[in-house]
Amino acid sequence: MSDSFADDIIAFLPNLRRFALSLCRQADLADDLVQITVERAFRGRDQFDPATRLDAWLFRILRNAWIDMVRRKKTQGIEIDIDDAADARVVDGTQTVETSLMLQSAKQAMAELPDDQREVMMLICVEEMSYKEAAQILDAPIGTVMSRLSRARITIAKKLGINAAPARSSDSEQE
Amino acid sequence: MADAMFTDEELMAYADKELPDDRAALIDMALLEDAALSDRLAVFTGSKEAVAEAYGGDLGDGVPNYLVAHVRKVQAEHAGAGDEPSNVQKMPVDVPQPANADRRPLWQLPAAAAVALAVGLGAGMMIMQPIEQAQQNGLQVAAFDDPEIMDALGRMASGTDITFESGNRFSVISTFQDGDGSLCREFEYDQASGKTVVSVVCHEGGVWDVQFAVTATAADDSGYAPASSLETLDAYLSSTGAQLPMSPEAEAAALAAIR
């Protein structure tokens, strides 16, 4: 197999780290998740279909590793204190106050979303996955992904003061 | 009013360029004459832009060198095996959820002080019989002749556990087929004494045949198998062509078939 597999993974490390941080909201745990993802990716590299996006495949592995962590915590008392989350990185002080406030507000609004809405926001709005790719990563129907995504964006728009609330919801709620 | 013709999900999909062309064309037209629809659309375009911008700067931080080094280290560990076909099963595009999605409990637990390994490899360590060889080596692998365990193996779903009157806890981790197509189950047996056994048994000739068993003294008070034993298990599963864990439905059907 091509050695580019490792290079490609390294190229996605920042994205993996960012997604991991959005899930667990602790920098040290996020790095642990990334390392576990790397190990599992090499172990199962034959499972990767080169016709698909490597980052989508890696996100799926990372999310499953996170689920393992959470379930381990539930059964073994391993501490994952997401309430002490050190999510927001320090905003660059050279940016304008307005921009900084907007960025901080957006991150704050993301942090306050339910977990299932935040992860779909990260995948689609930040990591630029398609609805179908996000659905495969999350093992969820596309309708569910769209429902979570829609509600998350309406919530965030309200918190950021972006225009009026939408007038109509879909009947396609699947949760 | 055009505004009411489109759901939030449709407008969002339009904003994300995920809406089918014919439906998107209708929204194109409606936006020309309906300001309220434009406002609703802005909710979805604006929220996406704000969040994308908020997190966009995070990529500029770079990643710690040790993460890059970790990739190279794992790459080196797998070097040499790269030209060999892996026996890891190809994942289908729409892979069914395993009956127990937590079947790879490999993450940071304290390393075991000592791990003792007994591998049957189909050599006939029937679950109906004491594992004499293992016991000669000082292993109390498990009371595998215990009818409670045999009963549990035949009926319990993956992800469930039971605590026997003895205080021993039995939990099924997953069900899968090995490379030969035999029905196999992975389980943990946490003994009240503090010993934990992680084992794989396969159903052959009407009995559960022990394929793999690793026993360890838990490294802490949790009573659960430490990570090193699970890594050993992972290596074993990889080497035997173990297939992906079955979905709950497939597992139930497979267990019913052997009753």
PDB file of all heavy atoms in Angstrom, chain B residues 183-221:
ATOM      1  N   LEU B 183     -19.886 -19.722  14.579  1.00  0.00           N
ATOM      2  CA  LEU B 183     -20.468 -18.690  15.419  1.00  0.00           C
ATOM      3  C   LEU B 183     -19.628 -18.541  16.683  1.00  0.00           C
ATOM      4  O   LEU B 183     -19.408 -19.517  17.412  1.00  0.00           O
ATOM      5  CB  LEU B 183     -21.910 -19.067  15.793  1.00  0.00           C
ATOM      6  CG  LEU B 183     -22.654 -18.043  16.650  1.00  0.00           C
ATOM      7  CD1 LEU B 183     -22.945 -16.779  15.832  1.00  0.00           C
ATOM      8  CD2 LEU B 183     -23.951 -18.628  17.195  1.00  0.00           C
ATOM      9  N   CYS B 184     -19.154 -17.347  16.950  1.00  0.00           N
ATOM     10  CA  CYS B 184     -18.274 -17.112  18.090  1.00  0.00           C
ATOM     11  C   CYS B 184     -18.813 -15.977  18.952  1.00  0.00           C
ATOM     12  O   CYS B 184     -19.496 -15.078  18.459  1.00  0.00           O
ATOM     13  CB  CYS B 184     -16.860 -16.750  17.615  1.00  0.00           C
ATOM     14  SG  CYS B 184     -16.109 -18.011  16.560  1.00  0.00           S
ATOM     15  N   ARG B 185     -18.477 -16.059  20.229  1.00  0.00           N
ATOM     16  CA  ARG B 185     -18.886 -14.996  21.150  1.00  0.00           C
ATOM     17  C   ARG B 185     -17.691 -14.588  22.008  1.00  0.00           C
ATOM     18  O   ARG B 185     -16.917 -15.418  22.468  1.00  0.00           O
ATOM     19  CB  ARG B 185     -20.037 -15.445  22.051  1.00  0.00           C
ATOM     20  CG  ARG B 185     -21.223 -16.028  21.292  1.00  0.00           C
ATOM     21  CD  ARG B 185     -22.509 -15.922  22.086  1.00  0.00           C
ATOM     22  NE  ARG B 185     -23.076 -14.576  21.984  1.00  0.00           N
ATOM     23  CZ  ARG B 185     -24.147 -14.157  22.665  1.00  0.00           C
ATOM     24  NH1 ARG B 185     -24.739 -14.963  23.523  1.00  0.00           N
ATOM     25  NH2 ARG B 185     -24.615 -12.929  22.509  1.00  0.00           N
ATOM     26  N   GLU B 186     -17.595 -13.294  22.205  1.00  0.00           N
ATOM     27  CA  GLU B 186     -16.558 -12.757  23.093  1.00  0.00           C
ATOM     28  C   GLU B 186     -17.238 -12.330  24.386  1.00  0.00           C
ATOM     29  O   GLU B 186     -18.289 -11.686  24.351  1.00  0.00           O
ATOM     30  CB  GLU B 186     -15.897 -11.554  22.418  1.00  0.00           C
ATOM     31  CG  GLU B 186     -14.902 -10.818  23.301  1.00  0.00           C
ATOM     32  CD  GLU B 186     -14.490  -9.471  22.687  1.00  0.00           C
ATOM     33  OE1 GLU B 186     -14.581  -9.315  21.451  1.00  0.00           O
ATOM     34  OE2 GLU B 186     -14.106  -8.576  23.459  1.00  0.00           O
ATOM     35  N   PHE B 187     -16.655 -12.694  25.504  1.00  0.00           N
ATOM     36  CA  PHE B 187     -17.270 -12.287  26.766  1.00  0.00           C
ATOM     37  C   PHE B 187     -16.215 -11.986  27.818  1.00  0.00           C
ATOM     38  O   PHE B 187     -15.045 -12.356  27.683  1.00  0.00           O
ATOM     39  CB  PHE B 187     -18.234 -13.375  27.276  1.00  0.00           C
ATOM     40  CG  PHE B 187     -17.570 -14.683  27.637  1.00  0.00           C
ATOM     41  CD1 PHE B 187     -17.069 -14.903  28.918  1.00  0.00           C
ATOM     42  CD2 PHE B 187     -17.456 -15.694  26.704  1.00  0.00           C
ATOM     43  CE1 PHE B 187     -16.459 -16.103  29.250  1.00  0.00           C
ATOM     44  CE2 PHE B 187     -16.848 -16.906  27.021  1.00  0.00           C
ATOM     45  CZ  PHE B 187     -16.345 -17.107  28.290  1.00  0.00           C
ATOM     46  N   GLU B 188     -16.657 -11.323  28.842  1.00  0.00           N
ATOM     47  CA  GLU B 188     -15.803 -11.083  30.014  1.00  0.00           C
ATOM     48  C   GLU B 188     -16.450 -11.750  31.209  1.00  0.00           C
ATOM     49  O   GLU B 188     -17.677 -11.744  31.351  1.00  0.00           O
ATOM     50  CB  GLU B 188     -15.659  -9.577  30.280  1.00  0.00           C
ATOM     51  CG  GLU B 188     -14.713  -8.864  29.330  1.00  0.00           C
ATOM     52  CD  GLU B 188     -14.422  -7.418  29.744  1.00  0.00           C
ATOM     53  OE1 GLU B 188     -14.562  -7.098  30.945  1.00  0.00           O
ATOM     54  OE2 GLU B 188     -14.054  -6.631  28.857  1.00  0.00           O
ATOM     55  N   TYR B 189     -15.603 -12.328  32.048  1.00  0.00           N
ATOM     56  CA  TYR B 189     -16.089 -12.996  33.243  1.00  0.00           C
ATOM     57  C   TYR B 189     -15.314 -12.434  34.429  1.00  0.00           C
ATOM     58  O   TYR B 189     -14.125 -12.705  34.603  1.00  0.00           O
ATOM     59  CB  TYR B 189     -15.859 -14.502  33.100  1.00  0.00           C
ATOM     60  CG  TYR B 189     -16.497 -15.348  34.181  1.00  0.00           C
ATOM     61  CD1 TYR B 189     -17.875 -15.369  34.361  1.00  0.00           C
ATOM     62  CD2 TYR B 189     -15.711 -16.140  35.010  1.00  0.00           C
ATOM     63  CE1 TYR B 189     -18.450 -16.164  35.339  1.00  0.00           C
ATOM     64  CE2 TYR B 189     -16.279 -16.946  35.991  1.00  0.00           C
ATOM     65  CZ  TYR B 189     -17.658 -16.952  36.156  1.00  0.00           C
ATOM     66  OH  TYR B 189     -18.219 -17.732  37.121  1.00  0.00           O
ATOM     67  N   ASP B 190     -15.976 -11.617  35.183  1.00  0.00           N
ATOM     68  CA  ASP B 190     -15.318 -10.923  36.292  1.00  0.00           C
ATOM     69  C   ASP B 190     -15.625 -11.674  37.580  1.00  0.00           C
ATOM     70  O   ASP B 190     -16.767 -11.680  38.057  1.00  0.00           O
ATOM     71  CB  ASP B 190     -15.810  -9.479  36.384  1.00  0.00           C
ATOM     72  CG  ASP B 190     -15.666  -8.753  35.053  1.00  0.00           C
ATOM     73  OD1 ASP B 190     -14.572  -8.813  34.473  1.00  0.00           O
ATOM     74  OD2 ASP B 190     -16.656  -8.150  34.601  1.00  0.00           O
ATOM     75  N   GLN B 191     -14.598 -12.301  38.112  1.00  0.00           N
ATOM     76  CA  GLN B 191     -14.806 -13.133  39.274  1.00  0.00           C
ATOM     77  C   GLN B 191     -14.728 -12.300  40.546  1.00  0.00           C
ATOM     78  O   GLN B 191     -13.988 -11.319  40.626  1.00  0.00           O
ATOM     79  CB  GLN B 191     -13.771 -14.259  39.293  1.00  0.00           C
ATOM     80  CG  GLN B 191     -13.933 -15.190  38.089  1.00  0.00           C
ATOM     81  CD  GLN B 191     -12.737 -16.094  37.896  1.00  0.00           C
ATOM     82  OE1 GLN B 191     -11.728 -15.699  37.330  1.00  0.00           O
ATOM     83  NE2 GLN B 191     -12.862 -17.318  38.369  1.00  0.00           N
ATOM     84  N   ALA B 192     -15.491 -12.733  41.523  1.00  0.00           N
ATOM     85  CA  ALA B 192     -15.528 -12.004  42.779  1.00  0.00           C
ATOM     86  C   ALA B 192     -14.148 -11.941  43.417  1.00  0.00           C
ATOM     87  O   ALA B 192     -13.854 -11.038  44.207  1.00  0.00           O
ATOM     88  CB  ALA B 192     -16.545 -12.661  43.721  1.00  0.00           C
ATOM     89  N   SER B 193     -13.297 -12.885  43.053  1.00  0.00           N
ATOM     90  CA  SER B 193     -11.944 -12.912  43.618  1.00  0.00           C
ATOM     91  C   SER B 193     -11.082 -11.772  43.103  1.00  0.00           C
ATOM     92  O   SER B 193     -10.000 -11.522  43.621  1.00  0.00           O
ATOM     93  CB  SER B 193     -11.277 -14.241  43.238  1.00  0.00           C
ATOM     94  OG  SER B 193     -11.135 -14.319  41.830  1.00  0.00           O
ATOM     95  N   GLY B 194     -11.549 -11.105  42.043  1.00  0.00           N
ATOM     96  CA  GLY B 194     -10.766 -10.013  41.478  1.00  0.00           C
ATOM     97  C   GLY B 194     -10.144 -10.373  40.141  1.00  0.00           C
ATOM     98  O   GLY B 194      -9.622  -9.519  39.437  1.00  0.00           O
ATOM     99  N   LYS B 195     -10.209 -11.662  39.807  1.00  0.00           N
ATOM    100  CA  LYS B 195      -9.672 -12.077  38.502  1.00  0.00           C
ATOM    101  C   LYS B 195     -10.703 -11.806  37.410  1.00  0.00           C
ATOM    102  O   LYS B 195     -11.901 -11.965  37.621  1.00  0.00           O
ATOM    103  CB  LYS B 195      -9.345 -13.563  38.508  1.00  0.00           C
ATOM    104  CG  LYS B 195      -8.234 -13.904  39.486  1.00  0.00           C
ATOM    105  CD  LYS B 195      -7.165 -14.689  38.807  1.00  0.00           C
ATOM    106  CE  LYS B 195      -6.053 -15.012  39.799  1.00  0.00           C
ATOM    107  NZ  LYS B 195      -4.856 -15.452  39.126  1.00  0.00           N
ATOM    108  N   THR B 196     -10.181 -11.445  36.276  1.00  0.00           N
ATOM    109  CA  THR B 196     -11.050 -11.208  35.123  1.00  0.00           C
ATOM    110  C   THR B 196     -10.592 -12.077  33.965  1.00  0.00           C
ATOM    111  O   THR B 196      -9.403 -12.194  33.707  1.00  0.00           O
ATOM    112  CB  THR B 196     -10.986  -9.729  34.707  1.00  0.00           C
ATOM    113  OG1 THR B 196     -11.691  -8.947  35.665  1.00  0.00           O
ATOM    114  CG2 THR B 196     -11.645  -9.515  33.355  1.00  0.00           C
ATOM    115  N   VAL B 197     -11.527 -12.698  33.304  1.00  0.00           N
ATOM    116  CA  VAL B 197     -11.213 -13.503  32.132  1.00  0.00           C
ATOM    117  C   VAL B 197     -11.885 -12.868  30.916  1.00  0.00           C
ATOM    118  O   VAL B 197     -13.057 -12.515  30.965  1.00  0.00           O
ATOM    119  CB  VAL B 197     -11.735 -14.944  32.280  1.00  0.00           C
ATOM    120  CG1 VAL B 197     -11.488 -15.736  30.997  1.00  0.00           C
ATOM    121  CG2 VAL B 197     -11.069 -15.623  33.458  1.00  0.00           C
ATOM    122  N   VAL B 198     -11.104 -12.677  29.882  1.00  0.00           N
ATOM    123  CA  VAL B 198     -11.659 -12.271  28.588  1.00  0.00           C
ATOM    124  C   VAL B 198     -11.514 -13.478  27.679  1.00  0.00           C
ATOM    125  O   VAL B 198     -10.422 -14.040  27.563  1.00  0.00           O
ATOM    126  CB  VAL B 198     -10.888 -11.079  27.989  1.00  0.00           C
ATOM    127  CG1 VAL B 198     -11.463 -10.724  26.617  1.00  0.00           C
ATOM    128  CG2 VAL B 198     -10.964  -9.887  28.924  1.00  0.00           C
ATOM    129  N   SER B 199     -12.599 -13.898  27.062  1.00  0.00           N
ATOM    130  CA  SER B 199     -12.538 -15.140  26.307  1.00  0.00           C
ATOM    131  C   SER B 199     -13.335 -15.060  25.013  1.00  0.00           C
ATOM    132  O   SER B 199     -14.272 -14.271  24.896  1.00  0.00           O
ATOM    133  CB  SER B 199     -13.084 -16.292  27.167  1.00  0.00           C
ATOM    134  OG  SER B 199     -12.978 -17.518  26.476  1.00  0.00           O
ATOM    135  N   VAL B 200     -12.924 -15.863  24.072  1.00  0.00           N
ATOM    136  CA  VAL B 200     -13.685 -16.067  22.842  1.00  0.00           C
ATOM    137  C   VAL B 200     -13.990 -17.550  22.740  1.00  0.00           C
ATOM    138  O   VAL B 200     -13.083 -18.387  22.860  1.00  0.00           O
ATOM    139  CB  VAL B 200     -12.894 -15.620  21.596  1.00  0.00           C
ATOM    140  CG1 VAL B 200     -13.651 -15.997  20.317  1.00  0.00           C
ATOM    141  CG2 VAL B 200     -12.649 -14.117  21.636  1.00  0.00           C
ATOM    142  N   VAL B 201     -15.259 -17.876  22.565  1.00  0.00           N
ATOM    143  CA  VAL B 201     -15.653 -19.269  22.371  1.00  0.00           C
ATOM    144  C   VAL B 201     -16.402 -19.372  21.048  1.00  0.00           C
ATOM    145  O   VAL B 201     -17.052 -18.423  20.620  1.00  0.00           O
ATOM    146  CB  VAL B 201     -16.551 -19.778  23.523  1.00  0.00           C
ATOM    147  CG1 VAL B 201     -15.792 -19.797  24.833  1.00  0.00           C
ATOM    148  CG2 VAL B 201     -17.806 -18.932  23.654  1.00  0.00           C
ATOM    149  N   CYS B 202     -16.268 -20.506  20.409  1.00  0.00           N
ATOM    150  CA  CYS B 202     -16.992 -20.720  19.156  1.00  0.00           C
ATOM    151  C   CYS B 202     -17.833 -21.989  19.268  1.00  0.00           C
ATOM    152  O   CYS B 202     -17.422 -22.961  19.916  1.00  0.00           O
ATOM    153  CB  CYS B 202     -16.016 -20.836  17.976  1.00  0.00           C
ATOM    154  SG  CYS B 202     -15.091 -19.313  17.681  1.00  0.00           S
ATOM    155  N   HIS B 203     -18.990 -21.949  18.652  1.00  0.00           N
ATOM    156  CA  HIS B 203     -19.922 -23.052  18.774  1.00  0.00           C
ATOM    157  C   HIS B 203     -19.622 -24.084  17.697  1.00  0.00           C
ATOM    158  O   HIS B 203     -19.810 -23.837  16.510  1.00  0.00           O
ATOM    159  CB  HIS B 203     -21.360 -22.534  18.623  1.00  0.00           C
ATOM    160  CG  HIS B 203     -22.384 -23.482  19.160  1.00  0.00           C
ATOM    161  ND1 HIS B 203     -23.116 -24.308  18.361  1.00  0.00           N
ATOM    162  CD2 HIS B 203     -22.768 -23.745  20.435  1.00  0.00           C
ATOM    163  CE1 HIS B 203     -23.935 -25.033  19.110  1.00  0.00           C
ATOM    164  NE2 HIS B 203     -23.743 -24.714  20.377  1.00  0.00           N
ATOM    165  N   GLU B 204     -19.133 -25.241  18.161  1.00  0.00           N
ATOM    166  CA  GLU B 204     -18.786 -26.293  17.218  1.00  0.00           C
ATOM    167  C   GLU B 204     -19.213 -27.633  17.802  1.00  0.00           C
ATOM    168  O   GLU B 204     -18.936 -27.923  18.968  1.00  0.00           O
ATOM    169  CB  GLU B 204     -17.266 -26.299  16.966  1.00  0.00           C
ATOM    170  CG  GLU B 204     -16.796 -25.064  16.209  1.00  0.00           C
ATOM    171  CD  GLU B 204     -15.284 -24.926  16.199  1.00  0.00           C
ATOM    172  OE1 GLU B 204     -14.618 -25.814  16.753  1.00  0.00           O
ATOM    173  OE2 GLU B 204     -14.790 -23.923  15.670  1.00  0.00           O
ATOM    174  N   GLY B 205     -19.877 -28.428  17.006  1.00  0.00           N
ATOM    175  CA  GLY B 205     -20.297 -29.759  17.449  1.00  0.00           C
ATOM    176  C   GLY B 205     -21.233 -29.719  18.638  1.00  0.00           C
ATOM    177  O   GLY B 205     -21.222 -30.625  19.477  1.00  0.00           O
ATOM    178  N   GLY B 206     -22.008 -28.672  18.738  1.00  0.00           N
ATOM    179  CA  GLY B 206     -23.005 -28.590  19.799  1.00  0.00           C
ATOM    180  C   GLY B 206     -22.478 -28.077  21.121  1.00  0.00           C
ATOM    181  O   GLY B 206     -23.223 -28.025  22.106  1.00  0.00           O
ATOM    182  N   VAL B 207     -21.218 -27.728  21.165  1.00  0.00           N
ATOM    183  CA  VAL B 207     -20.667 -27.198  22.419  1.00  0.00           C
ATOM    184  C   VAL B 207     -19.901 -25.907  22.123  1.00  0.00           C
ATOM    185  O   VAL B 207     -19.518 -25.626  20.990  1.00  0.00           O
ATOM    186  CB  VAL B 207     -19.700 -28.199  23.093  1.00  0.00           C
ATOM    187  CG1 VAL B 207     -20.459 -29.418  23.545  1.00  0.00           C
ATOM    188  CG2 VAL B 207     -18.575 -28.568  22.146  1.00  0.00           C
ATOM    189  N   TRP B 208     -19.697 -25.144  23.167  1.00  0.00           N
ATOM    190  CA  TRP B 208     -18.892 -23.924  23.046  1.00  0.00           C
ATOM    191  C   TRP B 208     -17.429 -24.302  23.272  1.00  0.00           C
ATOM    192  O   TRP B 208     -17.063 -24.766  24.342  1.00  0.00           O
ATOM    193  CB  TRP B 208     -19.338 -22.881  24.063  1.00  0.00           C
ATOM    194  CG  TRP B 208     -20.691 -22.297  23.768  1.00  0.00           C
ATOM    195  CD1 TRP B 208     -21.862 -22.576  24.405  1.00  0.00           C
ATOM    196  CD2 TRP B 208     -21.002 -21.344  22.751  1.00  0.00           C
ATOM    197  NE1 TRP B 208     -22.894 -21.858  23.847  1.00  0.00           N
ATOM    198  CE2 TRP B 208     -22.398 -21.092  22.835  1.00  0.00           C
ATOM    199  CE3 TRP B 208     -20.255 -20.686  21.773  1.00  0.00           C
ATOM    200  CZ2 TRP B 208     -23.048 -20.196  21.977  1.00  0.00           C
ATOM    201  CZ3 TRP B 208     -20.905 -19.801  20.932  1.00  0.00           C
ATOM    202  CH2 TRP B 208     -22.281 -19.562  21.031  1.00  0.00           C
ATOM    203  N   ASP B 209     -16.655 -24.085  22.268  1.00  0.00           N
ATOM    204  CA  ASP B 209     -15.246 -24.470  22.286  1.00  0.00           C
ATOM    205  C   ASP B 209     -14.395 -23.225  22.553  1.00  0.00           C
ATOM    206  O   ASP B 209     -14.483 -22.231  21.833  1.00  0.00           O
ATOM    207  CB  ASP B 209     -14.907 -25.063  20.909  1.00  0.00           C
ATOM    208  CG  ASP B 209     -13.537 -25.703  20.886  1.00  0.00           C
ATOM    209  OD1 ASP B 209     -12.969 -25.903  21.970  1.00  0.00           O
ATOM    210  OD2 ASP B 209     -13.052 -25.989  19.780  1.00  0.00           O
ATOM    211  N   VAL B 210     -13.581 -23.305  23.571  1.00  0.00           N
ATOM    212  CA  VAL B 210     -12.771 -22.139  23.932  1.00  0.00           C
ATOM    213  C   VAL B 210     -11.666 -21.921  22.901  1.00  0.00           C
ATOM    214  O   VAL B 210     -10.859 -22.804  22.654  1.00  0.00           O
ATOM    215  CB  VAL B 210     -12.126 -22.328  25.322  1.00  0.00           C
ATOM    216  CG1 VAL B 210     -11.277 -21.103  25.662  1.00  0.00           C
ATOM    217  CG2 VAL B 210     -13.181 -22.547  26.372  1.00  0.00           C
ATOM    218  N   GLN B 211     -11.667 -20.775  22.295  1.00  0.00           N
ATOM    219  CA  GLN B 211     -10.652 -20.434  21.304  1.00  0.00           C
ATOM    220  C   GLN B 211      -9.558 -19.554  21.897  1.00  0.00           C
ATOM    221  O   GLN B 211      -8.416 -19.583  21.460  1.00  0.00           O
ATOM    222  CB  GLN B 211     -11.295 -19.679  20.137  1.00  0.00           C
ATOM    223  CG  GLN B 211     -12.419 -20.428  19.459  1.00  0.00           C
ATOM    224  CD  GLN B 211     -11.941 -21.683  18.750  1.00  0.00           C
ATOM    225  OE1 GLN B 211     -11.020 -21.640  17.957  1.00  0.00           O
ATOM    226  NE2 GLN B 211     -12.544 -22.813  19.076  1.00  0.00           N
ATOM    227  N   PHE B 212      -9.962 -18.780  22.844  1.00  0.00           N
ATOM    228  CA  PHE B 212      -9.029 -17.786  23.382  1.00  0.00           C
ATOM    229  C   PHE B 212      -9.488 -17.461  24.793  1.00  0.00           C
ATOM    230  O   PHE B 212     -10.681 -17.307  25.054  1.00  0.00           O
ATOM    231  CB  PHE B 212      -9.088 -16.521  22.513  1.00  0.00           C
ATOM    232  CG  PHE B 212      -8.307 -15.344  23.059  1.00  0.00           C
ATOM    233  CD1 PHE B 212      -7.030 -15.072  22.604  1.00  0.00           C
ATOM    234  CD2 PHE B 212      -8.853 -14.505  24.029  1.00  0.00           C
ATOM    235  CE1 PHE B 212      -6.305 -13.994  23.100  1.00  0.00           C
ATOM    236  CE2 PHE B 212      -8.143 -13.425  24.528  1.00  0.00           C
ATOM    237  CZ  PHE B 212      -6.870 -13.170  24.054  1.00  0.00           C
ATOM    238  N   ALA B 213      -8.551 -17.401  25.691  1.00  0.00           N
ATOM    239  CA  ALA B 213      -8.893 -16.948  27.036  1.00  0.00           C
ATOM    240  C   ALA B 213      -7.690 -16.263  27.636  1.00  0.00           C
ATOM    241  O   ALA B 213      -6.575 -16.782  27.560  1.00  0.00           O
ATOM    242  CB  ALA B 213      -9.318 -18.128  27.914  1.00  0.00           C
ATOM    243  N   VAL B 214      -7.889 -15.119  28.160  1.00  0.00           N
ATOM    244  CA  VAL B 214      -6.807 -14.419  28.826  1.00  0.00           C
ATOM    245  C   VAL B 214      -7.326 -13.988  30.190  1.00  0.00           C
ATOM    246  O   VAL B 214      -8.441 -13.494  30.317  1.00  0.00           O
ATOM    247  CB  VAL B 214      -6.289 -13.229  27.984  1.00  0.00           C
ATOM    248  CG1 VAL B 214      -7.395 -12.271  27.644  1.00  0.00           C
ATOM    249  CG2 VAL B 214      -5.168 -12.510  28.686  1.00  0.00           C
ATOM    250  N   THR B 215      -6.538 -14.249  31.184  1.00  0.00           N
ATOM    251  CA  THR B 215      -6.968 -13.910  32.534  1.00  0.00           C
ATOM    252  C   THR B 215      -5.970 -12.954  33.159  1.00  0.00           C
ATOM    253  O   THR B 215      -4.773 -13.014  32.882  1.00  0.00           O
ATOM    254  CB  THR B 215      -7.115 -15.171  33.408  1.00  0.00           C
ATOM    255  OG1 THR B 215      -7.598 -14.796  34.683  1.00  0.00           O
ATOM    256  CG2 THR B 215      -5.788 -15.890  33.558  1.00  0.00           C
ATOM    257  N   ALA B 216      -6.488 -12.070  33.935  1.00  0.00           N
ATOM    258  CA  ALA B 216      -5.609 -11.067  34.528  1.00  0.00           C
ATOM    259  C   ALA B 216      -6.192 -10.586  35.841  1.00  0.00           C
ATOM    260  O   ALA B 216      -7.396 -10.604  36.045  1.00  0.00           O
ATOM    261  CB  ALA B 216      -5.445  -9.886  33.574  1.00  0.00           C
ATOM    262  N   THR B 217      -5.311 -10.196  36.689  1.00  0.00           N
ATOM    263  CA  THR B 217      -5.762  -9.534  37.899  1.00  0.00           C
ATOM    264  C   THR B 217      -5.970  -8.077  37.557  1.00  0.00           C
ATOM    265  O   THR B 217      -5.094  -7.428  36.995  1.00  0.00           O
ATOM    266  CB  THR B 217      -4.703  -9.645  39.005  1.00  0.00           C
ATOM    267  OG1 THR B 217      -4.456 -11.024  39.233  1.00  0.00           O
ATOM    268  CG2 THR B 217      -5.188  -8.977  40.276  1.00  0.00           C
ATOM    269  N   ALA B 218      -7.124  -7.585  37.849  1.00  0.00           N
ATOM    270  CA  ALA B 218      -7.407  -6.195  37.500  1.00  0.00           C
ATOM    271  C   ALA B 218      -6.392  -5.280  38.166  1.00  0.00           C
ATOM    272  O   ALA B 218      -5.986  -5.486  39.299  1.00  0.00           O
ATOM    273  CB  ALA B 218      -8.817  -5.824  37.943  1.00  0.00           C
ATOM    274  N   ALA B 219      -5.977  -4.289  37.421  1.00  0.00           N
ATOM    275  CA  ALA B 219      -4.938  -3.396  37.909  1.00  0.00           C
ATOM    276  C   ALA B 219      -5.482  -2.382  38.902  1.00  0.00           C
ATOM    277  O   ALA B 219      -4.739  -1.674  39.548  1.00  0.00           O
ATOM    278  CB  ALA B 219      -4.291  -2.676  36.736  1.00  0.00           C
ATOM    279  N   ASP B 220      -6.767  -2.295  39.008  1.00  0.00           N
ATOM    280  CA  ASP B 220      -7.344  -1.390  39.992  1.00  0.00           C
ATOM    281  C   ASP B 220      -8.525  -2.100  40.631  1.00  0.00           C
ATOM    282  O   ASP B 220      -8.656  -3.307  40.534  1.00  0.00           O
ATOM    283  CB  ASP B 220      -7.758  -0.060  39.337  1.00  0.00           C
ATOM    284  CG  ASP B 220      -8.694  -0.300  38.157  1.00  0.00           C
ATOM    285  OD1 ASP B 220      -9.307  -1.386  38.119  1.00  0.00           O
ATOM    286  OD2 ASP B 220      -8.779   0.593  37.314  1.00  0.00           O
ATOM    287  N   ASP B 221      -9.371  -1.351  41.250  1.00  0.00           N
ATOM    288  CA  ASP B 221     -10.488  -1.967  41.936  1.00  0.00           C
ATOM    289  C   ASP B 221     -11.700  -2.201  41.039  1.00  0.00           C
ATOM    290  O   ASP B 221     -12.753  -2.607  41.501  1.00  0.00           O
ATOM    291  CB  ASP B 221     -10.919  -1.075  43.118  1.00  0.00           C
ATOM    292  CG  ASP B 221      -9.818  -1.015  44.157  1.00  0.00           C
ATOM    293  OD1 ASP B 221      -9.033  -1.980  44.225  1.00  0.00           O
ATOM    294  OD2 ASP B 221      -9.752  -0.016  44.891  1.00  0.00           O
TER     295      ASP B 221
END
